[in-house]
Amino acid sequence: GWLQQAIFQRLEELKRSSRPQVDQAQPLKVLVKAVVSREGLLLDSMVVKSSGLDRIDREAMSLVQRAFPMQLDRPLNRQQVAMRIPITYSRE
């Protein structure tokens, strides 16, 4: 919903400033699980599906960690929310 959209938008902004070198023709995808508190803090994160390259996985984790804390537009109706965040890196 709205929280995932806000996080994706924040990650895209951060991705523009840190573009790791990607040599493969195919995009590299990392799936990160993140647990976010109702205050917008990152409580936990982990790679649940690797890109196959450690440096790309580390970059994705760093990106998620830099995105928080976040100012939330609306209150969460739970103490925390767990979500899966796909992050894609490509040559472009």
Side-chain angles (χ1 to χ4, degrees), residues 14-15 23 31 44-45 48 61 63 76 86:
L14 289 171
K15 236 168 76 171
D23 299 326
L31 187 61
D44 191 24
S45 61
V48 292
M61 285 294 295
L63 189 71
L76 292 178

Side-chain angles (χ1 to χ4, degrees), residues 37-50:
S37 75
R38 70 172 20 183
E39 292 82 21
L41 302 173
L42 182 65
L43 301 176
D44 191 24
S45 61
M46 63 184 287
V47 172
V48 292
K49 187 165 192 246
S50 172

Side-chain angles (χ1 to χ4, degrees), residues 11 14-15 18 59-67 87 89:
L11 291 174
L14 289 171
K15 236 168 76 171
S18 71
E59 174 60 30
M61 285 294 295
S62 174
L63 189 71
V64 169
Q65 290 166 354
R66 288 193 322 263
I87 301 172
Y89 292 98

Side-chain angles (χ1 to χ4, degrees), residues 2-43:
W2 67 268
L3 179 59
Q4 199 160 24
Q5 277 301 113
I7 291 170
F8 287 160
Q9 185 175 14
R10 175 80 174 125
L11 291 174
E12 283 303 314
E13 290 168 6
L14 289 171
K15 236 168 76 171
R16 283 188 219 115
S17 66
S18 71
R19 286 227 177 261
Q21 181 72 26
V22 176
D23 299 326
Q24 286 79 355
Q26 294 295 97
L28 297 172
K29 297 179 183 179
V30 182
L31 187 61
V32 175
K33 178 183 175 187
V35 180
V36 180
S37 75
R38 70 172 20 183
E39 292 82 21
L41 302 173
L42 182 65
L43 301 176

